[in-house]
Amino acid sequence: NKITGVSAKVSDDYARGTLPNGSFQSETYAFGEGGYYPAGIYDPTIDNLTFNQVARTLAEPLADRNFQPTRDPGRTKLLIMVYWGETTGSLDNHWGGMSVSGRSTYDGGNIVLTTAQVAMSDARNAAILGYDSELSEFGWKARRERPDLLADIERGRYFVVLMAYDFQLMWRQKKHKLLWETRFSIRENGNEFDRMLPAMAKYASQYFGENTHGLVRRPLPEGSVDVGAPKSLGVESEKTDSPP
């Protein structure tokens, strides 16, 4: 239950500069609220968190990679949109299982999905979590070749998606250019989002602005969250209407 999946990509023309000591050059950013996507069942460990609380937790591992927040639009290089939430897996208890009848059925109050609905649910979760490129290599053989990956997407997972856009291009020319994205997640069962987020973000931060060239899955030690006192984290963008 502590296996964390991370998938990160970068634009072909994005590269971070380095200093003489080998560390990354500073890049300024502002956060944007992409949105929270709940699973539909009350979970106080994630439902009660605000965007500012999530953003403050992410700010520390970003700083470790020399990404620095700013409120000056003229100096802002990146707009980092933040999405977080839970996926609903096709094998979660409230779905009930799988039916080959070609239509949804009910069993003891649980929804039993058709094989087509299971495939749609799995595909959606794989895209959100960053598992899609890995699973696409196996196609229909995935159930035999990579049951570990399918076990991840068929059960509910907490996730965070960071999508970093060229802020100056967006601000001055109203054009959207995605420079990098990082998706990370952990199994919902047996974990609490607010406690695990700091450790998840710290582990995933090594790939902020980098390319994982596929999916990385590693065990993760538990962490804890300290929301602390409110502080400015830069310019916020409007929420989007759909998941990333």
Side-chain angles (χ1 to χ4, degrees), residues 85-164:
E86 285 180 79
T87 59
T88 300
S90 57
L91 295 184
D92 288 339
N93 289 334
H94 48 293
W95 287 120
M98 183 187 300
S99 167
V100 295
S101 65
R103 61 182 180 180
S104 299
T105 60
Y106 292 87
D107 179 14
N110 292 330
I111 301 174
V112 180
L113 301 179
T114 67
T115 52
Q117 289 171 324
V118 168
M120 290 177 61
S121 173
D122 290 350
R124 178 181 182 275
N125 288 347
I128 292 174
L129 302 173
Y131 281 56
D132 48 347
S133 60
E134 200 82 7
L135 285 170
S136 65
E137 296 181 10
F138 298 93
W140 290 104
K141 297 180 181 179
R143 292 194 176 277
R144 182 176 70 250
E145 302 291 341
R146 293 306 305 266
D148 54 335
L149 301 186
L150 282 171
D152 282 354
I153 65 174
E154 290 182 342
R155 296 292 185 184
R157 292 180 73 80
Y158 295 126
F159 70 86
V160 175
V161 178
L162 302 182
M163 305 186 76

Side-chain angles (χ1 to χ4, degrees), residues 75 89 145 220 238:
R75 296 180 57 248
E145 302 291 341
L220 185 73
E238 294 182 355

Side-chain angles (χ1 to χ4, degrees), residues 2-241:
K2 298 297 187 292
I3 296 293
T4 298
V6 183
S7 175
K9 301 176 183 179
V10 298
S11 170
D12 291 339
D13 57 357
Y14 174 82
R16 296 199 67 188
T18 57
L19 300 173
N21 62 5
S23 63
F24 287 115
Q25 292 180 352
S26 175
E27 289 191 5
T28 56
Y29 73 91
F31 276 132
E33 183 176 356
Y36 167 50
Y37 299 91
I41 296 179
Y42 179 62
D43 181 347
T45 74
I46 189 170
D47 290 342
N48 294 341
L49 289 183
T50 67
F51 166 64
N52 284 337
Q53 290 171 322
V54 173
R56 282 198 295 271
T57 303
L58 296 172
E60 182 174 346
L62 280 165
D64 291 341
R65 300 289 288 179
N66 215 8
F67 291 101
Q68 303 297 331
T70 179
R71 297 196 66 185
D72 181 355
R75 296 180 57 248
T76 304
K77 179 173 182 178
L78 303 174
L79 173 65
I80 302 180
M81 300 298 296
V82 181
Y83 306 83
W84 74 104
E86 285 180 79
T87 59
T88 300
S90 57
L91 295 184
D92 288 339
N93 289 334
H94 48 293
W95 287 120
M98 183 187 300
S99 167
V100 295
S101 65
R103 61 182 180 180
S104 299
T105 60
Y106 292 87
D107 179 14
N110 292 330
I111 301 174
V112 180
L113 301 179
T114 67
T115 52
Q117 289 171 324
V118 168
M120 290 177 61
S121 173
D122 290 350
R124 178 181 182 275
N125 288 347
I128 292 174
L129 302 173
Y131 281 56
D132 48 347
S133 60
E134 200 82 7
L135 285 170
S136 65
E137 296 181 10
F138 298 93
W140 290 104
K141 297 180 181 179
R143 292 194 176 277
R144 182 176 70 250
E145 302 291 341
R146 293 306 305 266
D148 54 335
L149 301 186
L150 282 171
D152 282 354
I153 65 174
E154 290 182 342
R155 296 292 185 184
R157 292 180 73 80
Y158 295 126
F159 70 86
V160 175
V161 178
L162 302 182
M163 305 186 76
Y165 292 87
D166 184 325
F167 180 88
Q168 294 301 316
L169 189 65
M170 184 180 297
W171 184 42
R172 299 180 188 278
Q173 301 183 35
K174 311 302 181 186
K175 296 180 179 180
H176 292 70
K177 182 176 182 179
L178 182 63
L179 298 179
W180 58 263
E181 67 173 63
T182 304
R183 300 168 183 265
F184 53 98
S185 63
I186 196 168
R187 181 77 64 87
E188 178 272 334
N189 185 37
N191 291 308
E192 297 176 353
F193 182 78
D194 54 2
R195 293 187 62 215
M196 299 306 298
L197 179 58
M200 290 169 60
K202 182 175 178 61
Y203 171 70
S205 67
Q206 62 188 301
Y207 304 109
F208 291 169
E210 301 289 322
N211 196 332
T212 56
H213 301 286
L215 182 68
V216 178
R217 296 171 74 248
R218 295 287 187 275
L220 185 73
E222 287 195 18
S224 60
V225 64
D226 179 10
V227 298
K231 62 180 180 181
S232 171
L233 293 172
V235 180
E236 296 181 12
S237 178
E238 294 182 355
K239 294 183 180 179
T240 60
D241 297 327

